[in-house]
Amino acid sequence: MMSAADLMSAALGVAFLSLAVAQLMCMIRLVLGPNTGDRILALDTMVINALGLVIVLGIHQGVRIYFEVSLLIAMLGFVSTVALARFILRGDIIE
Amino acid sequence: MSLEIIGTYATALFLLIGSGFALVGVLGLLKFNDSMTRLHAPTKVGTVGIGALLLASMTYSYVSGAPSMHELLIMAFLFVTAPISANFIAKVNLHQRACDTPPAPPRDDTWSTLKSPEAEGDIPSGNEGS
């Protein structure tokens, strides 16, 4: 059986790798996407994956400052998704 | 087995769960063949995937001796905003007729999502502001 520290570093490596692969697959959908809804969805998922990467980086380095970074990324991602969708729906963001 | 070792195992487990959900959700985004079906998969990345990663971060902060509960803020924010953004993207799909149009409403002539605002004059066309 693996020791706890070995398992922790292996899990960190797997998390970094799978989040990076997920980010690349989102980019493929962003380029392919047949219509605008798919592109907005791919951008939203890319923001969420970047949030996960920042959280895993914070665990890896053991630094608390990445908490503020991830909170800011979450807020900006939500606001930008809503702004893009409102621009498609209404032709304007703030009427 | 001390509490610290159990906490480290739990952190590794939460990390694997979170990154696995992120990978599977984005695989669904890439492989499904309809816009509304594609919308279903990545919403799980935002809730379960990021939720498990934040749980891992919280558990690891307890293991490393500097406990913090700040991650609950991000989790609450994501759980509130994920349905809102999914609803907006579904409205974009309906508006662009990328999926089947729902049956006509009983009273009005069409759904408000399908109306184009320029035709009704809701938005001023010039630059005189509002």
Side-chain angles (χ1 to χ4, degrees):
Chain A
M1 188 159 176
M2 292 171 89
S3 77
D6 284 348
L7 184 67
M8 183 68 198
S9 62
L12 274 174
V14 168
F16 273 125
L17 196 69
S18 57
L19 283 170
V21 169
Q23 195 79 287
L24 283 176
M25 278 154 58
C26 279
M27 273 184 219
I28 294 173
R29 179 49 76 192
L30 183 63
V31 174
L32 286 180
N35 47 49
T36 321
D38 293 320
R39 294 210 164 94
I40 298 175
L41 182 60
L43 273 176
D44 188 46
T45 315
M46 278 181 75
V47 168
I48 287 179
N49 279 329
L51 181 63
L53 275 175
V54 169
I55 293 167
V56 178
L57 189 69
I59 298 177
H60 175 65
Q61 297 188 354
V63 184
R64 296 244 53 87
I65 195 104
Y66 287 111
F67 159 71
E68 278 90 1
V69 179
S70 45
L71 194 55
L72 277 176
I73 289 177
M75 288 181 174
L76 280 178
F78 171 65
V79 170
S80 61
T81 304
V82 171
L84 276 170
R86 272 197 76 80
F87 184 74
I88 301 296
L89 284 173
R90 301 292 294 168
D92 207 346
I93 297 172
I94 301 171
E95 294 173 29
Chain B
M1 198 184 259
S2 73
L3 206 60
E4 188 175 337
I5 294 179
I6 295 176
T8 313
Y9 276 124
T11 310
L13 186 68
F14 285 142
L15 273 177
L16 289 179
I17 290 174
S19 54
F21 260 94
L23 198 59
V24 170
V26 177
L27 199 64
L29 172 69
L30 197 59
K31 293 295 284 182
F32 283 152
N33 49 9
D34 180 44
S35 286
M36 282 299 194
T37 334
R38 276 198 286 269
L39 179 58
H40 147 255
T43 47
K44 274 77 200 168
V45 182
T47 50
V48 186
I50 300 297
L53 288 181
L54 288 169
L55 267 181
S57 178
M58 270 162 47
T59 319
Y60 194 65
S61 72
Y62 276 98
V63 169
S64 60
S68 76
M69 299 290 277
H70 295 299
E71 281 84 356
L72 284 179
L73 266 179
I74 307 177
M75 217 184 282
F77 185 80
L78 276 178
F79 282 12
V80 168
T81 58
I84 300 174
S85 53
N87 184 24
F88 265 102
I89 295 170
K91 277 166 84 175
V92 167
N93 281 338
L94 277 177
H95 182 73
Q96 300 217 320
R97 298 178 197 269
C99 60
D100 290 343
T101 309
R107 281 197 299 274
D108 300 326
D109 47 344
T110 185
W111 297 103
S112 66
T113 313
L114 296 175
K115 282 184 188 169
S116 65
E118 293 84 4
E120 313 163 33
D122 280 356
I123 296 175
S125 55
N127 52 2
E128 66 262 27
S130 58

